[in-house]
Amino acid sequence: MSKFVKLRSITSKIGSGATPRGGNNVYSEQGVAFVRSQNILDMSFSEKGLVFINDQQAEKLKGVTVENDDILLNITGDSIARSCIVPTTILPARVSQHVSIIRCKDRKSAPYVNYYLHYLKPHLLQICRVGGTRNALTKEAVENLYINLPCDYNARAKVLSALDAKIECNNRINAELEAMAKTLYDYWFVQFNFPDHNGHPYKSSGGKMVYNPTLKRQIPAGWHYSTIGETFTTHLGGTPSRDKDEYWTPCEVNWLSSAENPGTFVVDPDERISYLGLQNSPAKLLPQGTVILSIVRHLRASILGIEAATNQSVVGIVETSMFKHCFIYPYLVREIPRLMVLRTGAQQPHINKGVLDESLLAVPDKSTIEAYTRLAAPLFLQMKNYHQQNRELTQLRDWLLPILMNGQATVV
């Protein structure tokens, strides 16, 4: 038996936060977590781009303190209607004005309510366009949402939660694998302690270092400097005309509208275009293993786990026979803070492709890069496999979710 209730009747709090005065300048790398819309994904939370505020700023925002089991819902912007349960690992936390806190009176019902909000996402996307020039979900609209509460709602939520738990487990494994890969890269190409011919750490064991005036630092003897543009083929994407249906159907080519991907590997396209659309736009079909960088707003690097074209806000760096994504990706991640400073434009801060092409790098000798690739490539292959497994688990969850929410299926 089911009953429909308004969301406000089963919650003790629905409300959005605020942004501290000073904007990005007040954020730090430690303190109280400050959650923004970019951290809220569909059914999951991303700590990429998570920022922190100090205790004084947090005290001013104590009215939007996030608590255990709270649901976080994006209420404005391009990511509107995404929701997730806050992870306990980031608490204490506050939220921005683009995120609403939904606190259930019965905390145990939060997973089910979160799943139901995801089920209602098409409806939320429809009502957020009513009036105004910017998509937004008002507090009143959220409070008046009808939620179906069957007697077995907790059991239904547990089925979906089991799948999400496995997805989250895979995400944690991938985080550890990426940390291992970063440590390996830094040890070899930042500290220059790759194994010498005796198997000892090169620089720490007295390996010869030579000052390079272009890089303005010492590098191992036998290495040289180059740029991204000189070493790799890079491509800026493009968008086929939306006015021509034949550029978008049939759906033949994977296409990414942004590289702001929450994971290390991209295994799902945002959209698909036709081969005709690919031929009649600046977009290029990039092979698996290409490292892509979003060059607008928050710069972010990812690796293509599929063949895909991209739009004009993404640059692709194609692998070579010598340099694979396991080298390019950690290099680019280390470069992002420097590139962020070089962004221009008030409305949409961005870098140009030329800025990336001119980025300098120390080029190791062939034997060193081959030895590194033998160690690093298996770590990245494991990450890719877990991303692909999560894609399948997500598809299964998303297939089950509507039939559990609308009563087509029950749990026995």
Side-chain angles (χ1 to χ4, degrees):
M1 184 175 180
S2 299
K3 62 176 179 178
F4 283 86
V5 298
K6 286 189 175 183
L7 185 58
R8 67 186 177 196
S9 70
I10 58 172
T11 55
S12 59
K13 181 179 181 63
I14 297 177
S16 60
T19 297
R21 288 186 178 182
N24 292 339
N25 295 327
V26 304
Y27 300 147
S28 60
E29 295 183 357
Q30 58 184 357
V32 177
F34 185 71
V35 179
R36 299 176 292 173
S37 58
Q38 69 193 79
N39 303 118
I40 313 301
L41 309 179
D42 281 323
M43 316 301 293
S44 65
F45 186 92
S46 173
E47 292 193 25
K48 285 192 174 182
L50 182 65
V51 295
F52 299 86
I53 55 178
N54 61 39
D55 290 340
Q56 289 180 328
Q57 294 160 337
E59 178 64 22
K60 294 177 182 178
L61 295 175
K62 64 181 180 180
V64 287
T65 299
V66 184
E67 297 182 3
N68 195 26
D69 297 318
D70 279 354
I71 301 167
L72 304 179
L73 173 69
N74 282 355
I75 55 174
T76 65
D78 295 338
S79 61
I80 195 168
R82 289 181 184 173
S83 68
C84 70
I85 302 286
V86 63
T88 57
T89 52
I90 70 155
L91 299 179
R94 306 291 189 269
V95 296
S96 76
Q97 70 269 29
H98 306 296
V99 180
S100 180
I101 298 170
I102 299 175
R103 185 169 300 145
C104 296
K105 293 176 181 177
D106 178 3
R107 300 298 180 95
K108 293 180 181 179
S109 68
Y112 176 84
V113 174
N114 183 48
Y115 287 125
Y116 203 84
L117 288 173
H118 188 67
Y119 170 64
L120 290 177
K121 186 172 181 178
H123 172 65
L124 296 176
L125 291 174
Q126 186 176 29
I127 64 174
C128 76
R129 298 187 179 97
V130 178
T133 58
R134 179 180 173 87
N135 291 346
L137 289 169
T138 65
K139 180 180 180 181
E140 181 182 12
V142 175
E143 288 177 335
N144 288 324
L145 290 172
Y146 278 98
I147 307 294
N148 180 25
L149 278 182
C151 57
D152 64 343
Y153 69 85
N154 277 331
R156 299 187 192 197
K158 285 180 180 178
V159 172
L160 301 170
S161 294
L163 295 171
D164 278 332
K166 175 55 178 170
I167 292 171
E168 181 55 32
C169 177
N170 287 350
N171 287 337
R172 289 196 299 271
I173 294 172
N174 268 347
E176 291 296 326
L177 288 169
E178 184 163 350
M180 291 169 60
K182 179 184 182 301
T183 299
L184 180 64
Y185 176 89
D186 288 352
Y187 196 68
W188 283 52
F189 302 114
V190 179
Q191 302 173 37
F192 302 122
N193 275 322
F194 53 89
D196 63 14
H197 61 280
N198 292 317
H200 301 142
Y202 181 85
K203 186 176 180 181
S204 297
S205 300
K208 184 178 180 182
M209 302 292 290
V210 179
Y211 181 77
N212 185 285
T214 303
L215 295 173
K216 298 180 180 178
R217 61 191 173 109
Q218 290 189 325
I219 59 175
W223 291 26
H224 65 279
Y225 85 90
S226 185
T227 65
I228 287 292
E230 292 171 343
T231 309
F232 302 98
T233 299
T234 60
H235 293 290
L236 180 67
T239 303
S241 172
R242 294 279 184 181
D243 295 329
K244 295 184 179 291
D245 291 341
E246 62 269 26
Y247 288 178
W248 297 87
T249 55
C251 302
E252 299 167 313
V253 179
N254 296 326
W255 185 77
L256 305 176
S257 60
S258 170
E260 292 187 14
N261 180 67
T264 305
F265 279 87
V266 177
V267 294
D268 250 339
D270 297 322
E271 296 182 72
R272 289 184 173 87
I273 61 177
S274 68
Y275 282 114
L276 189 62
L278 181 67
Q279 294 164 4
N280 288 275
S281 75
K284 303 288 184 183
L285 185 59
L286 302 173
Q288 288 190 42
T290 299
V291 178
I292 56 176
L293 176 72
S294 63
I295 59 173
V296 179
R297 295 191 296 274
H298 303 285
L299 309 190
R300 186 172 294 172
S302 299
I303 306 166
L304 287 183
I306 53 174
E307 282 189 338
T310 72
N311 78 352
Q312 59 276 11
S313 69
V314 180
V315 174
I317 305 174
V318 182
E319 295 177 305
T320 70
S321 58
M322 183 172 172
F323 295 103
K324 302 301 182 182
H325 60 262
C326 59
F327 174 84
I328 305 169
Y329 175 78
Y331 161 81
L332 196 55
V333 169
R334 284 188 57 85
E335 281 290 285
I336 285 177
R338 181 186 69 83
L339 294 172
M340 287 283 287
V341 176
L342 300 177
R343 292 177 304 166
T344 58
Q347 296 300 319
Q348 284 197 321
H350 65 281
I351 61 167
N352 295 318
K353 175 177 173 291
V355 173
L356 178 62
D357 286 341
E358 293 168 2
S359 296
L360 296 170
L361 72 157
V363 179
D365 59 81
K366 184 178 180 182
S367 61
T368 299
I369 194 64
E370 287 178 344
Y372 166 79
T373 301
R374 285 194 295 270
L375 290 174
L379 297 175
F380 281 84
L381 179 59
Q382 288 184 69
M383 282 188 264
K384 177 183 174 182
N385 290 340
Y386 280 118
H387 277 290
Q388 290 174 329
Q389 186 180 109
N390 276 0
R391 176 192 178 192
E392 295 170 2
L393 290 168
T394 300
Q395 289 174 338
L396 175 58
R397 182 202 65 199
D398 291 348
W399 176 77
L400 282 171
L401 189 145
I403 64 176
L404 286 170
M405 296 298 106
N406 65 21
Q408 285 180 271
T410 57
V411 180
V412 295

